[in-house]
Amino acid sequence: MKEVIHDFVKRQLDGFDLAEDGFDRHGSFEWTMHRESDGLHRYVIVAVSPTAESNFSVEVWAGASDGLHFARRLVRAQSMVGGWTEYGYMVEQVLQKPIDDAKELAGRLRPSDLDQSYAAGSSPQ
């Protein structure tokens, strides 16, 4: 599963860097695409979590940060039935549009959209 998603995400970078590459974060595997523009760190996150035998929850998020404040928006959440990772085309069918939408949304976020604040000393910068 990880290899299929890793290969797909790497083909989607198009101006983004791969900041996190399938890291295990609290039981989910996450891929974070990042780029800086207009003074903001913009990102797209693909998170995959096992939910039951051979089933997965897939989430795609868009966000931006200025180092003090951030915005994070869920673009798509979907449950997947086992066996889908055996077919690379299924990953494309499930992730292509949400990743494209997340990149577009991340690019549209402005400083006034950053509606959450980091706790003191916890900024990712």
Side-chain angles (χ1 to χ4, degrees):
M1 181 250 325
K2 281 181 66 175
E3 294 80 16
V4 172
I5 295 172
H6 165 82
D7 291 343
F8 182 76
V9 169
K10 283 192 74 166
R11 291 192 309 268
Q12 305 308 308
L13 293 176
D14 190 34
F16 284 78
D17 295 318
L18 192 56
E20 292 184 342
D21 189 6
F23 289 116
D24 184 348
R25 180 161 298 170
H26 308 291
S28 294
F29 297 106
E30 290 190 8
W31 290 262
T32 301
M33 301 163 59
H34 170 267
R35 77 171 181 199
E36 292 183 42
S37 68
D38 300 323
L40 296 178
H41 297 272
R42 301 173 186 283
Y43 55 88
V44 171
I45 297 171
V46 176
V48 178
S49 306
T51 58
E53 185 178 317
S54 298
N55 295 331
F56 300 91
S57 171
V58 178
E59 296 179 355
V60 178
W61 293 80
S65 168
D66 65 5
L68 298 174
H69 305 91
F70 67 97
R72 185 174 166 180
R73 308 283 191 265
L74 180 63
V75 174
R76 183 169 186 182
Q78 181 174 341
S79 294
M80 300 301 301
V81 177
W84 68 279
T85 58
E86 295 154 20
Y87 306 101
Y89 70 91
M90 290 292 288
V91 172
E92 184 172 334
Q93 290 178 344
V94 170
L95 292 177
Q96 185 66 64
K97 182 166 176 21
I99 287 175
D100 290 344
D101 292 348
K103 287 195 277 188
E104 181 181 337
L105 176 56
R108 286 195 325 256
L109 290 170
R110 300 292 165 239
S112 60
D113 296 320
L114 307 182
D115 54 4
Q116 300 177 58
S117 297
Y118 291 107
S122 69
S123 171
Q125 275 41 298

